[in-house]
Amino acid sequence: MSDKMSNLGEEARKYKRRVRYKGTHPRRYEEKYKELNPEKYREDIQKILQKGKTPAGMHIPICVREILDFLQIQPGQIGLDATLGYGGHTQKLLECLKGEGHLYAIDVDTIELEKTKKRLEELGYGSDILTIQHRNFAEIDQIAPEEKFDFVLADLGVSSMQIDNPKRGFTFKHEGALDLRLDVSAGITAAQRLRELNEEELAGMLVENADEPYAEQIAKAVRLAFQSGETIDTTRQFVDVIERALSFVPENERKEAVKKSSQRTFQALRIDINGEFEVLYEFLEKLPDVLKSGGRAAILTFHFGEDRLVKKAFRQGMREGIYSDAAKDVIRPSAEECFQNPRARSTKMRWAIRT
């Protein structure tokens, strides 16, 4: 009997219990392994998508039909996806090439770039048809110096994978380090940037980058927090400061006001530390030089400042004869797409054709 019990004990030690999925709404990001492994849990992913939600760790490409209708990609062409992200748009562009031609894809986010590269390789897209580089899209003139592109796509939105991962600090909804860098291998964090700015500079940045109506109050609250010896190194600490800044707002309106101001403030900081407007300006300046005659460019924006820059560049290009045609009005995703993917609601698409 003792030998039998001993053997059972040995077997129990060898057997490792499968980690269970902790409910339909696990609290920790790392526990959401069904969403983080979409290829393995297709049925679960479909259920989440049917509810009009984006599964954690995934990014749903926006305006795919509108983009493909405009780009008119033909097999054998050379193209560029200037914002690789999760690879959703990239995959659709590759499908249009039908194994002929070549697609270049770049991204500044080293974390997501490697994941996407592996995912696309497993789908059969190797170096013969796809070249992926770690670059900022301001460097489009360095991607393929000997090539000009038949088509270029740039999706300027922050990927859902970045927003969903609390370690990146892109959302005020989860506790995490106040980082906000698109490229974690370079630059300073949002927490460091807050310590560099004085009250007037911070207020000005919040207005310029996000039209924040309570910019002065938030900037003052940040200054007072630092003066009293507080640290603002996490997303929660920063939201606490914003809540104090808006304590004068009537109680029945305060929760919504804090939510909206937190969204705008995080966005403004992200734009600032990543130099997003400066990078976009450089990209738009270089874009005509990397396009072939008749080459097509489509850009998705999610912020009024981005759209203004794109609109101005395309219109100026038309006046100077650089572009033969450009979108007169923005193209927006359909109501059906916005229901299926709520993160698409603020999307604006503009396009231009090289002379």
Side-chain angles (χ1 to χ4, degrees):
M1 178 66 75
S2 60
D3 288 343
K4 186 176 180 181
M5 291 298 291
S6 177
N7 289 337
L8 285 171
E10 184 66 26
E11 288 298 318
R13 282 191 292 273
K14 287 181 180 177
Y15 175 74
K16 193 169 183 179
R17 188 179 180 86
R18 179 176 68 86
V19 178
R20 295 184 62 82
Y21 185 56
K22 300 182 180 181
T24 55
H25 301 288
R27 293 184 180 180
R28 295 176 64 245
Y29 177 77
E30 292 81 1
E31 292 172 355
K32 298 185 178 186
Y33 64 83
K34 287 193 177 181
E35 289 97 318
L36 293 172
N37 195 350
E39 288 77 15
K40 187 175 179 181
Y41 297 99
R42 294 184 185 278
E43 289 185 11
D44 299 277
I45 296 303
Q46 284 305 312
K47 289 178 183 177
I48 294 168
L49 293 172
Q50 287 167 6
K51 294 178 181 178
K53 298 179 180 179
T54 302
M58 279 186 68
H59 182 80
I60 302 172
I62 298 170
C63 285
V64 172
R65 179 179 57 80
E66 291 83 355
I67 289 168
L68 297 182
D69 283 350
F70 166 69
L71 293 180
Q72 299 180 11
I73 299 168
Q74 301 298 316
Q77 289 187 330
I78 307 296
L80 168 65
D81 186 341
T83 46
L84 173 65
Y86 191 78
H89 284 128
T90 311
Q91 185 178 342
K92 296 298 181 182
L93 301 178
L94 286 165
E95 288 172 3
C96 292
L97 289 177
K98 300 184 186 302
E100 300 177 29
H102 203 84
L103 182 67
Y104 291 83
I106 61 173
D107 206 289
V108 73
D109 188 334
T110 52
I111 294 174
E112 296 301 330
L113 183 144
E114 288 304 320
K115 295 178 186 176
T116 301
K117 184 177 181 180
K118 182 175 182 291
R119 190 182 302 115
L120 291 170
E121 284 175 349
E122 289 172 351
L123 290 172
Y125 298 114
S127 58
D128 59 319
I129 190 75
L130 175 65
T131 297
I132 294 177
Q133 299 178 8
H134 172 230
R135 286 189 184 276
N136 192 301
F137 63 63
E139 302 171 333
I140 51 171
D141 56 333
Q142 300 174 38
I143 295 163
E146 305 303 317
E147 298 274 13
K148 283 188 180 270
F149 301 115
D150 293 288
F151 62 89
V152 172
L153 171 66
D155 175 352
L156 305 185
V158 177
S159 296
S160 297
M161 310 87 65
Q162 295 163 328
I163 295 171
D164 290 334
N165 189 345
K167 293 178 181 177
R168 305 296 298 273
F170 280 93
T171 176
F172 64 93
K173 296 178 181 179
H174 304 290
E175 174 69 344
L178 190 61
D179 193 318
L180 291 171
R181 288 175 297 169
L182 294 170
D183 184 354
V184 295
S185 67
I188 63 170
T189 67
Q192 291 171 300
R193 182 64 172 148
L194 274 181
R195 290 193 288 272
E196 287 183 356
L197 297 168
N198 62 37
E199 183 177 337
E200 186 178 354
E201 289 169 337
L202 178 56
M205 183 263 284
L206 294 178
V207 171
E208 184 175 345
N209 289 357
D211 275 350
E212 172 53 50
Y214 302 121
E216 291 182 4
Q217 292 90 336
I218 292 171
K220 181 179 179 180
V222 168
R223 175 178 62 81
L224 292 174
F226 283 138
Q227 283 181 348
S228 65
E230 287 184 52
T231 58
I232 308 177
D233 294 328
T234 71
T235 54
R236 186 64 249 175
Q237 288 172 338
F238 194 25
V239 173
D240 287 344
V241 172
I242 295 171
E243 285 179 345
R244 290 203 299 270
L246 272 61
S247 60
F248 65 92
V249 176
E251 190 172 350
N252 63 328
E253 302 173 13
R254 193 176 306 151
K255 184 177 179 180
E256 186 64 17
V258 170
K259 176 185 173 182
K260 294 294 186 185
S261 284
S262 295
Q263 288 173 334
R264 289 188 292 262
T265 302
F266 273 63
Q267 180 187 61
L269 256 182
R270 190 204 76 223
I271 289 171
D272 178 78
I273 66 166
N274 292 293
E276 292 180 30
F277 290 153
E278 294 84 354
V279 167
L280 176 57
Y281 183 80
E282 192 171 347
F283 168 80
L284 291 167
E285 273 201 323
K286 294 177 178 178
L287 180 60
D289 293 330
V290 303
L291 283 170
K292 291 179 182 177
S293 176
R296 294 169 174 247
I299 302 177
L300 301 183
T301 65
F302 298 79
H303 182 277
F304 65 90
E306 294 171 342
D307 180 60
R308 188 165 55 221
L309 282 175
V310 175
K311 178 181 177 181
K312 183 179 178 181
F314 284 173
R315 287 191 173 179
Q316 184 175 336
M318 283 279 289
R319 288 195 296 270
E320 296 176 1
I322 294 171
Y323 296 118
S324 61
D325 198 5
K328 295 175 179 60
D329 298 304
V330 294
I331 297 169
R332 292 183 177 274
S334 66
E336 181 183 3
E337 180 173 4
C338 289
F339 170 76
Q340 293 174 343
N341 180 12
R343 291 174 181 175
R345 287 174 185 155
S346 59
T347 310
K348 295 178 180 179
M349 173 181 156
R350 291 188 184 272
W351 55 263
I353 301 175
R354 184 72 166 94
T355 300

